[in-house]
PDB file of all heavy atoms in Angstrom:
ATOM      1  N   ALA F  21       0.838  -1.206   0.004  1.00  0.00           N
ATOM      2  CA  ALA F  21       0.004   0.003   0.002  1.00  0.00           C
ATOM      3  C   ALA F  21       0.858   1.253  -0.003  1.00  0.00           C
ATOM      4  O   ALA F  21       0.569   2.231  -0.704  1.00  0.00           O
ATOM      5  CB  ALA F  21      -0.932  -0.008   1.204  1.00  0.00           C
ATOM      6  N   GLN F  22       1.941   1.237   0.785  1.00  0.00           N
ATOM      7  CA  GLN F  22       2.828   2.382   0.844  1.00  0.00           C
ATOM      8  C   GLN F  22       3.513   2.614  -0.506  1.00  0.00           C
ATOM      9  O   GLN F  22       3.718   3.756  -0.932  1.00  0.00           O
ATOM     10  CB  GLN F  22       3.883   2.182   1.945  1.00  0.00           C
ATOM     11  CG  GLN F  22       4.806   3.366   2.143  1.00  0.00           C
ATOM     12  CD  GLN F  22       4.074   4.604   2.617  1.00  0.00           C
ATOM     13  OE1 GLN F  22       3.030   4.500   3.274  1.00  0.00           O
ATOM     14  NE2 GLN F  22       4.575   5.768   2.265  1.00  0.00           N
ATOM     15  N   PHE F  23       3.842   1.515  -1.189  1.00  0.00           N
ATOM     16  CA  PHE F  23       4.482   1.632  -2.503  1.00  0.00           C
ATOM     17  C   PHE F  23       3.525   2.286  -3.509  1.00  0.00           C
ATOM     18  O   PHE F  23       3.950   3.093  -4.345  1.00  0.00           O
ATOM     19  CB  PHE F  23       4.901   0.257  -2.990  1.00  0.00           C
ATOM     20  CG  PHE F  23       5.539   0.264  -4.362  1.00  0.00           C
ATOM     21  CD1 PHE F  23       6.883   0.564  -4.514  1.00  0.00           C
ATOM     22  CD2 PHE F  23       4.798  -0.005  -5.494  1.00  0.00           C
ATOM     23  CE1 PHE F  23       7.483   0.589  -5.753  1.00  0.00           C
ATOM     24  CE2 PHE F  23       5.371   0.013  -6.752  1.00  0.00           C
ATOM     25  CZ  PHE F  23       6.728   0.312  -6.879  1.00  0.00           C
ATOM     26  N   LEU F  24       2.239   1.962  -3.435  1.00  0.00           N
ATOM     27  CA  LEU F  24       1.287   2.545  -4.364  1.00  0.00           C
ATOM     28  C   LEU F  24       1.124   4.038  -4.115  1.00  0.00           C
ATOM     29  O   LEU F  24       0.933   4.826  -5.054  1.00  0.00           O
ATOM     30  CB  LEU F  24      -0.076   1.855  -4.219  1.00  0.00           C
ATOM     31  CG  LEU F  24      -0.170   0.426  -4.743  1.00  0.00           C
ATOM     32  CD1 LEU F  24      -1.541  -0.151  -4.458  1.00  0.00           C
ATOM     33  CD2 LEU F  24       0.119   0.373  -6.252  1.00  0.00           C
ATOM     34  N   VAL F  25       1.222   4.449  -2.854  1.00  0.00           N
ATOM     35  CA  VAL F  25       1.039   5.861  -2.527  1.00  0.00           C
ATOM     36  C   VAL F  25       2.257   6.676  -2.921  1.00  0.00           C
ATOM     37  O   VAL F  25       2.153   7.751  -3.513  1.00  0.00           O
ATOM     38  CB  VAL F  25       0.739   6.022  -1.024  1.00  0.00           C
ATOM     39  CG1 VAL F  25       0.693   7.506  -0.647  1.00  0.00           C
ATOM     40  CG2 VAL F  25      -0.570   5.346  -0.660  1.00  0.00           C
ATOM     41  N   THR F  26       3.454   6.181  -2.579  1.00  0.00           N
ATOM     42  CA  THR F  26       4.695   6.910  -2.870  1.00  0.00           C
ATOM     43  C   THR F  26       5.676   5.993  -3.603  1.00  0.00           C
ATOM     44  O   THR F  26       6.665   5.542  -3.011  1.00  0.00           O
ATOM     45  CB  THR F  26       5.327   7.427  -1.579  1.00  0.00           C
ATOM     46  OG1 THR F  26       5.561   6.309  -0.695  1.00  0.00           O
ATOM     47  CG2 THR F  26       4.450   8.449  -0.898  1.00  0.00           C
ATOM     48  N   PRO F  27       5.420   5.717  -4.858  1.00  0.00           N
ATOM     49  CA  PRO F  27       6.341   4.845  -5.607  1.00  0.00           C
ATOM     50  C   PRO F  27       7.626   5.594  -5.960  1.00  0.00           C
ATOM     51  O   PRO F  27       7.669   6.825  -5.934  1.00  0.00           O
ATOM     52  CB  PRO F  27       5.551   4.514  -6.875  1.00  0.00           C
ATOM     53  CG  PRO F  27       4.675   5.709  -7.086  1.00  0.00           C
ATOM     54  CD  PRO F  27       4.307   6.166  -5.688  1.00  0.00           C
ATOM     55  N   PRO F  28       8.704   4.872  -6.260  1.00  0.00           N
ATOM     56  CA  PRO F  28       9.944   5.540  -6.680  1.00  0.00           C
ATOM     57  C   PRO F  28       9.760   6.237  -8.025  1.00  0.00           C
ATOM     58  O   PRO F  28       8.818   5.940  -8.772  1.00  0.00           O
ATOM     59  CB  PRO F  28      10.955   4.391  -6.775  1.00  0.00           C
ATOM     60  CG  PRO F  28      10.116   3.167  -6.972  1.00  0.00           C
ATOM     61  CD  PRO F  28       8.845   3.411  -6.230  1.00  0.00           C
ATOM     62  N   LYS F  29      10.646   7.157  -8.298  1.00  0.00           N
ATOM     63  CA  LYS F  29      10.590   7.925  -9.550  1.00  0.00           C
ATOM     64  C   LYS F  29      11.514   7.283 -10.576  1.00  0.00           C
ATOM     65  O   LYS F  29      12.675   6.984 -10.297  1.00  0.00           O
ATOM     66  CB  LYS F  29      11.002   9.374  -9.291  1.00  0.00           C
ATOM     67  CG  LYS F  29      10.951  10.270 -10.522  1.00  0.00           C
ATOM     68  CD  LYS F  29      11.454  11.663 -10.198  1.00  0.00           C
ATOM     69  CE  LYS F  29      10.540  12.334  -9.192  1.00  0.00           C
ATOM     70  NZ  LYS F  29      10.991  13.743  -8.933  1.00  0.00           N
ATOM     71  N   LEU F  30      10.987   7.050 -11.778  1.00  0.00           N
ATOM     72  CA  LEU F  30      11.787   6.550 -12.886  1.00  0.00           C
ATOM     73  C   LEU F  30      12.473   7.720 -13.578  1.00  0.00           C
ATOM     74  O   LEU F  30      11.804   8.688 -13.969  1.00  0.00           O
ATOM     75  CB  LEU F  30      10.928   5.779 -13.886  1.00  0.00           C
ATOM     76  CG  LEU F  30      11.623   5.305 -15.168  1.00  0.00           C
ATOM     77  CD1 LEU F  30      12.687   4.268 -14.848  1.00  0.00           C
ATOM     78  CD2 LEU F  30      10.614   4.735 -16.158  1.00  0.00           C
ATOM     79  N   VAL F  31      13.788   7.649 -13.728  1.00  0.00           N
ATOM     80  CA  VAL F  31      14.564   8.738 -14.333  1.00  0.00           C
ATOM     81  C   VAL F  31      15.214   8.237 -15.618  1.00  0.00           C
ATOM     82  O   VAL F  31      15.844   7.180 -15.636  1.00  0.00           O
ATOM     83  CB  VAL F  31      15.646   9.255 -13.369  1.00  0.00           C
ATOM     84  CG1 VAL F  31      16.499  10.319 -14.035  1.00  0.00           C
ATOM     85  CG2 VAL F  31      15.017   9.787 -12.096  1.00  0.00           C
ATOM     86  N   ILE F  32      15.047   8.993 -16.670  1.00  0.00           N
ATOM     87  CA  ILE F  32      15.735   8.706 -17.938  1.00  0.00           C
ATOM     88  C   ILE F  32      16.825   9.747 -18.094  1.00  0.00           C
ATOM     89  O   ILE F  32      16.557  10.926 -18.377  1.00  0.00           O
ATOM     90  CB  ILE F  32      14.768   8.762 -19.141  1.00  0.00           C
ATOM     91  CG1 ILE F  32      13.573   7.848 -18.924  1.00  0.00           C
ATOM     92  CG2 ILE F  32      15.494   8.396 -20.417  1.00  0.00           C
ATOM     93  CD1 ILE F  32      12.499   7.980 -19.981  1.00  0.00           C
ATOM     94  N   SER F  33      18.063   9.335 -17.854  1.00  0.00           N
ATOM     95  CA  SER F  33      19.181  10.240 -18.135  1.00  0.00           C
ATOM     96  C   SER F  33      19.349  10.314 -19.644  1.00  0.00           C
ATOM     97  O   SER F  33      18.760   9.532 -20.393  1.00  0.00           O
ATOM     98  CB  SER F  33      20.448   9.725 -17.457  1.00  0.00           C
ATOM     99  OG  SER F  33      20.281   9.654 -16.056  1.00  0.00           O
ATOM    100  N   LYS F  34      20.180  11.257 -20.109  1.00  0.00           N
ATOM    101  CA  LYS F  34      20.253  11.511 -21.540  1.00  0.00           C
ATOM    102  C   LYS F  34      20.589  10.229 -22.300  1.00  0.00           C
ATOM    103  O   LYS F  34      21.651   9.647 -22.136  1.00  0.00           O
ATOM    104  CB  LYS F  34      21.307  12.575 -21.845  1.00  0.00           C
ATOM    105  CG  LYS F  34      21.239  13.064 -23.304  1.00  0.00           C
ATOM    106  CD  LYS F  34      22.090  14.285 -23.519  1.00  0.00           C
ATOM    107  CE  LYS F  34      21.930  14.829 -24.925  1.00  0.00           C
ATOM    108  NZ  LYS F  34      22.736  16.048 -25.152  1.00  0.00           N
ATOM    109  N   SER F  35      19.639   9.801 -23.121  1.00  0.00           N
ATOM    110  CA  SER F  35      19.781   8.601 -23.947  1.00  0.00           C
ATOM    111  C   SER F  35      19.642   8.995 -25.407  1.00  0.00           C
ATOM    112  O   SER F  35      19.031  10.027 -25.715  1.00  0.00           O
ATOM    113  CB  SER F  35      18.716   7.561 -23.580  1.00  0.00           C
ATOM    114  OG  SER F  35      18.808   7.219 -22.198  1.00  0.00           O
ATOM    115  N   LEU F  36      20.188   8.202 -26.301  1.00  0.00           N
ATOM    116  CA  LEU F  36      20.192   8.633 -27.698  1.00  0.00           C
ATOM    117  C   LEU F  36      20.202   7.449 -28.659  1.00  0.00           C
ATOM    118  O   LEU F  36      20.607   6.337 -28.318  1.00  0.00           O
ATOM    119  CB  LEU F  36      21.384   9.556 -27.985  1.00  0.00           C
ATOM    120  CG  LEU F  36      22.798   8.973 -27.881  1.00  0.00           C
ATOM    121  CD1 LEU F  36      23.226   8.289 -29.172  1.00  0.00           C
ATOM    122  CD2 LEU F  36      23.792  10.062 -27.537  1.00  0.00           C
ATOM    123  N   VAL F  37      19.744   7.759 -29.857  1.00  0.00           N
ATOM    124  CA  VAL F  37      19.916   6.888 -31.026  1.00  0.00           C
ATOM    125  C   VAL F  37      20.479   7.770 -32.127  1.00  0.00           C
ATOM    126  O   VAL F  37      19.930   8.812 -32.445  1.00  0.00           O
ATOM    127  CB  VAL F  37      18.565   6.265 -31.471  1.00  0.00           C
ATOM    128  CG1 VAL F  37      18.779   5.459 -32.752  1.00  0.00           C
ATOM    129  CG2 VAL F  37      17.983   5.376 -30.376  1.00  0.00           C
ATOM    130  N   ARG F  38      21.609   7.334 -32.706  1.00  0.00           N
ATOM    131  CA  ARG F  38      22.287   8.128 -33.720  1.00  0.00           C
ATOM    132  C   ARG F  38      22.397   7.314 -35.014  1.00  0.00           C
ATOM    133  O   ARG F  38      22.714   6.129 -34.995  1.00  0.00           O
ATOM    134  CB  ARG F  38      23.671   8.529 -33.229  1.00  0.00           C
ATOM    135  CG  ARG F  38      24.422   9.474 -34.156  1.00  0.00           C
ATOM    136  CD  ARG F  38      25.815   9.802 -33.589  1.00  0.00           C
ATOM    137  NE  ARG F  38      25.713  10.584 -32.367  1.00  0.00           N
ATOM    138  CZ  ARG F  38      26.278  10.235 -31.209  1.00  0.00           C
ATOM    139  NH1 ARG F  38      26.973   9.101 -31.109  1.00  0.00           N
ATOM    140  NH2 ARG F  38      26.158  11.008 -30.136  1.00  0.00           N
ATOM    141  N   THR F  39      22.126   7.980 -36.141  1.00  0.00           N
ATOM    142  CA  THR F  39      22.326   7.389 -37.472  1.00  0.00           C
ATOM    143  C   THR F  39      23.347   8.231 -38.234  1.00  0.00           C
ATOM    144  O   THR F  39      23.907   9.191 -37.680  1.00  0.00           O
ATOM    145  CB  THR F  39      21.002   7.330 -38.254  1.00  0.00           C
ATOM    146  OG1 THR F  39      20.585   8.682 -38.560  1.00  0.00           O
ATOM    147  CG2 THR F  39      19.907   6.642 -37.455  1.00  0.00           C
ATOM    148  N   VAL F  40      23.573   7.894 -39.477  1.00  0.00           N
ATOM    149  CA  VAL F  40      24.569   8.658 -40.252  1.00  0.00           C
ATOM    150  C   VAL F  40      24.104  10.091 -40.476  1.00  0.00           C
ATOM    151  O   VAL F  40      24.923  10.997 -40.688  1.00  0.00           O
ATOM    152  CB  VAL F  40      24.844   7.979 -41.620  1.00  0.00           C
ATOM    153  CG1 VAL F  40      25.531   6.655 -41.422  1.00  0.00           C
ATOM    154  CG2 VAL F  40      23.553   7.804 -42.408  1.00  0.00           C
ATOM    155  N   ASP F  41      22.770  10.340 -40.420  1.00  0.00           N
ATOM    156  CA  ASP F  41      22.251  11.670 -40.702  1.00  0.00           C
ATOM    157  C   ASP F  41      21.715  12.411 -39.476  1.00  0.00           C
ATOM    158  O   ASP F  41      21.719  13.637 -39.457  1.00  0.00           O
ATOM    159  CB  ASP F  41      21.096  11.577 -41.729  1.00  0.00           C
ATOM    160  CG  ASP F  41      21.555  11.060 -43.068  1.00  0.00           C
ATOM    161  OD1 ASP F  41      22.687  11.404 -43.463  1.00  0.00           O
ATOM    162  OD2 ASP F  41      20.803  10.311 -43.697  1.00  0.00           O
ATOM    163  N   ALA F  42      21.239  11.682 -38.493  1.00  0.00           N
ATOM    164  CA  ALA F  42      20.465  12.325 -37.433  1.00  0.00           C
ATOM    165  C   ALA F  42      20.822  11.760 -36.064  1.00  0.00           C
ATOM    166  O   ALA F  42      21.468  10.723 -35.943  1.00  0.00           O
ATOM    167  CB  ALA F  42      18.973  12.159 -37.697  1.00  0.00           C
ATOM    168  N   GLU F  43      20.356  12.504 -35.047  1.00  0.00           N
ATOM    169  CA  GLU F  43      20.520  12.058 -33.667  1.00  0.00           C
ATOM    170  C   GLU F  43      19.280  12.445 -32.887  1.00  0.00           C
ATOM    171  O   GLU F  43      18.853  13.598 -32.905  1.00  0.00           O
ATOM    172  CB  GLU F  43      21.755  12.687 -33.028  1.00  0.00           C
ATOM    173  CG  GLU F  43      21.934  12.305 -31.562  1.00  0.00           C
ATOM    174  CD  GLU F  43      23.151  12.969 -30.927  1.00  0.00           C
ATOM    175  OE1 GLU F  43      24.279  12.551 -31.249  1.00  0.00           O
ATOM    176  OE2 GLU F  43      22.954  13.926 -30.143  1.00  0.00           O
ATOM    177  N   LEU F  44      18.687  11.465 -32.193  1.00  0.00           N
ATOM    178  CA  LEU F  44      17.509  11.687 -31.376  1.00  0.00           C
ATOM    179  C   LEU F  44      17.873  11.413 -29.924  1.00  0.00           C
ATOM    180  O   LEU F  44      18.377  10.337 -29.596  1.00  0.00           O
ATOM    181  CB  LEU F  44      16.355  10.769 -31.804  1.00  0.00           C
ATOM    182  CG  LEU F  44      15.076  10.845 -30.965  1.00  0.00           C
ATOM    183  CD1 LEU F  44      14.427  12.207 -31.104  1.00  0.00           C
ATOM    184  CD2 LEU F  44      14.106   9.730 -31.372  1.00  0.00           C
ATOM    185  N   THR F  45      17.634  12.389 -29.041  1.00  0.00           N
ATOM    186  CA  THR F  45      17.936  12.224 -27.619  1.00  0.00           C
ATOM    187  C   THR F  45      16.670  12.390 -26.798  1.00  0.00           C
ATOM    188  O   THR F  45      15.707  13.029 -27.236  1.00  0.00           O
ATOM    189  CB  THR F  45      18.982  13.233 -27.128  1.00  0.00           C
ATOM    190  OG1 THR F  45      18.419  14.563 -27.192  1.00  0.00           O
ATOM    191  CG2 THR F  45      20.242  13.174 -27.959  1.00  0.00           C
ATOM    192  N   VAL F  46      16.671  11.805 -25.592  1.00  0.00           N
ATOM    193  CA  VAL F  46      15.541  11.944 -24.691  1.00  0.00           C
ATOM    194  C   VAL F  46      16.063  11.919 -23.259  1.00  0.00           C
ATOM    195  O   VAL F  46      17.024  11.216 -22.947  1.00  0.00           O
ATOM    196  CB  VAL F  46      14.509  10.810 -24.911  1.00  0.00           C
ATOM    197  CG1 VAL F  46      15.125   9.442 -24.677  1.00  0.00           C
ATOM    198  CG2 VAL F  46      13.300  10.992 -23.974  1.00  0.00           C
ATOM    199  N   GLU F  47      15.447  12.711 -22.410  1.00  0.00           N
ATOM    200  CA  GLU F  47      15.724  12.678 -20.986  1.00  0.00           C
ATOM    201  C   GLU F  47      14.483  13.181 -20.251  1.00  0.00           C
ATOM    202  O   GLU F  47      13.693  13.951 -20.808  1.00  0.00           O
ATOM    203  CB  GLU F  47      16.946  13.517 -20.614  1.00  0.00           C
ATOM    204  CG  GLU F  47      16.895  14.961 -21.049  1.00  0.00           C
ATOM    205  CD  GLU F  47      18.233  15.659 -20.765  1.00  0.00           C
ATOM    206  OE1 GLU F  47      18.853  15.363 -19.733  1.00  0.00           O
ATOM    207  OE2 GLU F  47      18.633  16.498 -21.590  1.00  0.00           O
ATOM    208  N   GLY F  48      14.309  12.717 -19.011  1.00  0.00           N
ATOM    209  CA  GLY F  48      13.137  13.138 -18.253  1.00  0.00           C
ATOM    210  C   GLY F  48      12.892  12.217 -17.083  1.00  0.00           C
ATOM    211  O   GLY F  48      13.786  11.491 -16.629  1.00  0.00           O
ATOM    212  N   GLU F  49      11.649  12.233 -16.583  1.00  0.00           N
ATOM    213  CA  GLU F  49      11.316  11.439 -15.409  1.00  0.00           C
ATOM    214  C   GLU F  49       9.850  11.047 -15.465  1.00  0.00           C
ATOM    215  O   GLU F  49       9.039  11.681 -16.153  1.00  0.00           O
ATOM    216  CB  GLU F  49      11.618  12.196 -14.122  1.00  0.00           C
ATOM    217  CG  GLU F  49      10.913  13.527 -14.017  1.00  0.00           C
ATOM    218  CD  GLU F  49      11.369  14.325 -12.795  1.00  0.00           C
ATOM    219  OE1 GLU F  49      12.574  14.252 -12.455  1.00  0.00           O
ATOM    220  OE2 GLU F  49      10.523  15.015 -12.207  1.00  0.00           O
ATOM    221  N   MET F  50       9.510   9.997 -14.710  1.00  0.00           N
ATOM    222  CA  MET F  50       8.138   9.482 -14.705  1.00  0.00           C
ATOM    223  C   MET F  50       7.823   8.942 -13.308  1.00  0.00           C
ATOM    224  O   MET F  50       8.680   8.335 -12.666  1.00  0.00           O
ATOM    225  CB  MET F  50       7.984   8.392 -15.770  1.00  0.00           C
ATOM    226  CG  MET F  50       6.616   7.752 -15.838  1.00  0.00           C
ATOM    227  SD  MET F  50       6.503   6.443 -17.102  1.00  0.00           S
ATOM    228  CE  MET F  50       6.720   7.433 -18.589  1.00  0.00           C
ATOM    229  N   THR F  51       6.587   9.168 -12.867  1.00  0.00           N
ATOM    230  CA  THR F  51       6.121   8.612 -11.615  1.00  0.00           C
ATOM    231  C   THR F  51       4.845   7.820 -11.860  1.00  0.00           C
ATOM    232  O   THR F  51       4.175   8.005 -12.878  1.00  0.00           O
ATOM    233  CB  THR F  51       5.846   9.710 -10.581  1.00  0.00           C
ATOM    234  OG1 THR F  51       4.878  10.621 -11.117  1.00  0.00           O
ATOM    235  CG2 THR F  51       7.116  10.472 -10.237  1.00  0.00           C
ATOM    236  N   PHE F  52       4.511   6.931 -10.893  1.00  0.00           N
ATOM    237  CA  PHE F  52       3.324   6.071 -11.054  1.00  0.00           C
ATOM    238  C   PHE F  52       2.493   6.074  -9.758  1.00  0.00           C
ATOM    239  O   PHE F  52       2.166   5.039  -9.216  1.00  0.00           O
ATOM    240  CB  PHE F  52       3.763   4.647 -11.367  1.00  0.00           C
ATOM    241  CG  PHE F  52       4.458   4.496 -12.683  1.00  0.00           C
ATOM    242  CD1 PHE F  52       5.843   4.644 -12.762  1.00  0.00           C
ATOM    243  CD2 PHE F  52       3.757   4.231 -13.838  1.00  0.00           C
ATOM    244  CE1 PHE F  52       6.507   4.503 -13.972  1.00  0.00           C
ATOM    245  CE2 PHE F  52       4.408   4.086 -15.059  1.00  0.00           C
ATOM    246  CZ  PHE F  52       5.791   4.243 -15.117  1.00  0.00           C
ATOM    247  N   ALA F  53       2.185   7.240  -9.251  1.00  0.00           N
ATOM    248  CA  ALA F  53       1.371   7.326  -8.041  1.00  0.00           C
ATOM    249  C   ALA F  53       0.009   6.700  -8.307  1.00  0.00           C
ATOM    250  O   ALA F  53      -0.665   7.034  -9.280  1.00  0.00           O
ATOM    251  CB  ALA F  53       1.218   8.779  -7.599  1.00  0.00           C
ATOM    252  N   ALA F  54      -0.388   5.763  -7.421  1.00  0.00           N
ATOM    253  CA  ALA F  54      -1.660   5.042  -7.575  1.00  0.00           C
ATOM    254  C   ALA F  54      -1.749   4.383  -8.946  1.00  0.00           C
ATOM    255  O   ALA F  54      -2.848   4.252  -9.521  1.00  0.00           O
ATOM    256  CB  ALA F  54      -2.838   5.958  -7.341  1.00  0.00           C
ATOM    257  N   LEU F  55      -0.614   3.944  -9.470  1.00  0.00           N
ATOM    258  CA  LEU F  55      -0.513   3.253 -10.757  1.00  0.00           C
ATOM    259  C   LEU F  55      -0.952   4.120 -11.928  1.00  0.00           C
ATOM    260  O   LEU F  55      -1.245   3.609 -13.020  1.00  0.00           O
ATOM    261  CB  LEU F  55      -1.344   1.959 -10.740  1.00  0.00           C
ATOM    262  CG  LEU F  55      -0.893   0.901  -9.731  1.00  0.00           C
ATOM    263  CD1 LEU F  55      -1.776  -0.329  -9.835  1.00  0.00           C
ATOM    264  CD2 LEU F  55       0.565   0.528  -9.941  1.00  0.00           C
ATOM    265  N   LYS F  56      -0.968   5.444 -11.742  1.00  0.00           N
ATOM    266  CA  LYS F  56      -1.299   6.348 -12.831  1.00  0.00           C
ATOM    267  C   LYS F  56      -0.034   7.059 -13.284  1.00  0.00           C
ATOM    268  O   LYS F  56       0.547   7.831 -12.511  1.00  0.00           O
ATOM    269  CB  LYS F  56      -2.366   7.366 -12.374  1.00  0.00           C
ATOM    270  CG  LYS F  56      -3.705   6.744 -12.054  1.00  0.00           C
ATOM    271  CD  LYS F  56      -4.739   7.786 -11.654  1.00  0.00           C
ATOM    272  CE  LYS F  56      -6.085   7.155 -11.381  1.00  0.00           C
ATOM    273  NZ  LYS F  56      -7.111   8.176 -11.007  1.00  0.00           N
ATOM    274  N   PRO F  57       0.411   6.829 -14.514  1.00  0.00           N
ATOM    275  CA  PRO F  57       1.671   7.414 -14.971  1.00  0.00           C
ATOM    276  C   PRO F  57       1.592   8.926 -15.170  1.00  0.00           C
ATOM    277  O   PRO F  57       0.596   9.441 -15.680  1.00  0.00           O
ATOM    278  CB  PRO F  57       1.928   6.691 -16.299  1.00  0.00           C
ATOM    279  CG  PRO F  57       0.594   6.275 -16.776  1.00  0.00           C
ATOM    280  CD  PRO F  57      -0.212   5.977 -15.547  1.00  0.00           C
ATOM    281  N   GLU F  58       2.622   9.608 -14.743  1.00  0.00           N
ATOM    282  CA  GLU F  58       2.774  11.043 -14.989  1.00  0.00           C
ATOM    283  C   GLU F  58       4.230  11.272 -15.359  1.00  0.00           C
ATOM    284  O   GLU F  58       5.135  10.825 -14.645  1.00  0.00           O
ATOM    285  CB  GLU F  58       2.392  11.845 -13.757  1.00  0.00           C
ATOM    286  CG  GLU F  58       2.396  13.359 -14.002  1.00  0.00           C
ATOM    287  CD  GLU F  58       1.706  14.117 -12.890  1.00  0.00           C
ATOM    288  OE1 GLU F  58       1.038  13.468 -12.056  1.00  0.00           O
ATOM    289  OE2 GLU F  58       1.836  15.353 -12.852  1.00  0.00           O
ATOM    290  N   SER F  59       4.458  11.962 -16.491  1.00  0.00           N
ATOM    291  CA  SER F  59       5.836  12.079 -16.977  1.00  0.00           C
ATOM    292  C   SER F  59       6.105  13.460 -17.551  1.00  0.00           C
ATOM    293  O   SER F  59       5.199  14.180 -17.962  1.00  0.00           O
ATOM    294  CB  SER F  59       6.108  11.012 -18.050  1.00  0.00           C
ATOM    295  OG  SER F  59       5.291  11.241 -19.199  1.00  0.00           O
ATOM    296  N   HIS F  60       7.414  13.780 -17.554  1.00  0.00           N
ATOM    297  CA  HIS F  60       7.900  15.007 -18.182  1.00  0.00           C
ATOM    298  C   HIS F  60       9.183  14.617 -18.908  1.00  0.00           C
ATOM    299  O   HIS F  60      10.187  14.284 -18.274  1.00  0.00           O
ATOM    300  CB  HIS F  60       8.173  16.085 -17.145  1.00  0.00           C
ATOM    301  CG  HIS F  60       8.792  17.320 -17.721  1.00  0.00           C
ATOM    302  ND1 HIS F  60       8.055  18.326 -18.305  1.00  0.00           N
ATOM    303  CD2 HIS F  60      10.110  17.708 -17.837  1.00  0.00           C
ATOM    304  CE1 HIS F  60       8.868  19.287 -18.738  1.00  0.00           C
ATOM    305  NE2 HIS F  60      10.113  18.929 -18.455  1.00  0.00           N
ATOM    306  N   THR F  61       9.150  14.635 -20.235  1.00  0.00           N
ATOM    307  CA  THR F  61      10.311  14.222 -21.023  1.00  0.00           C
ATOM    308  C   THR F  61      10.642  15.278 -22.074  1.00  0.00           C
ATOM    309  O   THR F  61       9.737  15.962 -22.580  1.00  0.00           O
ATOM    310  CB  THR F  61      10.070  12.875 -21.744  1.00  0.00           C
ATOM    311  OG1 THR F  61       8.881  12.949 -22.523  1.00  0.00           O
ATOM    312  CG2 THR F  61       9.952  11.742 -20.741  1.00  0.00           C
ATOM    313  N   THR F  62      11.913  15.397 -22.376  1.00  0.00           N
ATOM    314  CA  THR F  62      12.383  16.332 -23.405  1.00  0.00           C
ATOM    315  C   THR F  62      13.055  15.558 -24.506  1.00  0.00           C
ATOM    316  O   THR F  62      14.027  14.820 -24.256  1.00  0.00           O
ATOM    317  CB  THR F  62      13.367  17.362 -22.805  1.00  0.00           C
ATOM    318  OG1 THR F  62      12.697  18.088 -21.765  1.00  0.00           O
ATOM    319  CG2 THR F  62      13.842  18.331 -23.870  1.00  0.00           C
ATOM    320  N   TRP F  63      12.555  15.701 -25.706  1.00  0.00           N
ATOM    321  CA  TRP F  63      13.089  15.029 -26.892  1.00  0.00           C
ATOM    322  C   TRP F  63      13.724  16.071 -27.798  1.00  0.00           C
ATOM    323  O   TRP F  63      13.159  17.135 -28.022  1.00  0.00           O
ATOM    324  CB  TRP F  63      11.981  14.308 -27.660  1.00  0.00           C
ATOM    325  CG  TRP F  63      11.235  13.296 -26.847  1.00  0.00           C
ATOM    326  CD1 TRP F  63      10.331  13.539 -25.854  1.00  0.00           C
ATOM    327  CD2 TRP F  63      11.329  11.877 -26.953  1.00  0.00           C
ATOM    328  NE1 TRP F  63       9.847  12.384 -25.336  1.00  0.00           N
ATOM    329  CE2 TRP F  63      10.448  11.324 -25.987  1.00  0.00           C
ATOM    330  CE3 TRP F  63      12.062  11.014 -27.769  1.00  0.00           C
ATOM    331  CZ2 TRP F  63      10.288   9.952 -25.823  1.00  0.00           C
ATOM    332  CZ3 TRP F  63      11.893   9.650 -27.609  1.00  0.00           C
ATOM    333  CH2 TRP F  63      11.030   9.123 -26.645  1.00  0.00           C
ATOM    334  N   GLU F  64      14.897  15.776 -28.318  1.00  0.00           N
ATOM    335  CA  GLU F  64      15.578  16.680 -29.248  1.00  0.00           C
ATOM    336  C   GLU F  64      16.136  15.874 -30.426  1.00  0.00           C
ATOM    337  O   GLU F  64      16.607  14.753 -30.234  1.00  0.00           O
ATOM    338  CB  GLU F  64      16.718  17.427 -28.550  1.00  0.00           C
ATOM    339  CG  GLU F  64      16.243  18.390 -27.472  1.00  0.00           C
ATOM    340  CD  GLU F  64      17.376  19.140 -26.793  1.00  0.00           C
ATOM    341  OE1 GLU F  64      18.561  18.892 -27.175  1.00  0.00           O
ATOM    342  OE2 GLU F  64      17.094  19.937 -25.884  1.00  0.00           O
ATOM    343  N   MET F  65      16.081  16.484 -31.600  1.00  0.00           N
ATOM    344  CA  MET F  65      16.534  15.783 -32.789  1.00  0.00           C
ATOM    345  C   MET F  65      17.298  16.739 -33.697  1.00  0.00           C
ATOM    346  O   MET F  65      16.868  17.846 -33.972  1.00  0.00           O
ATOM    347  CB  MET F  65      15.357  15.187 -33.568  1.00  0.00           C
ATOM    348  CG  MET F  65      15.758  14.358 -34.753  1.00  0.00           C
ATOM    349  SD  MET F  65      14.363  13.480 -35.510  1.00  0.00           S
ATOM    350  CE  MET F  65      15.216  12.555 -36.804  1.00  0.00           C
TER     351      MET F  65
END
């Protein structure tokens, strides 16, 4: 029950996929209070 109320925060440190032409990065965080996802992520290309 305590885990559902205050679950840990998932953190995405700067991650990327790079090709010969482009690079896509993402970073942000996500929580799952009461099993409902809430996230803030920044994508750059």
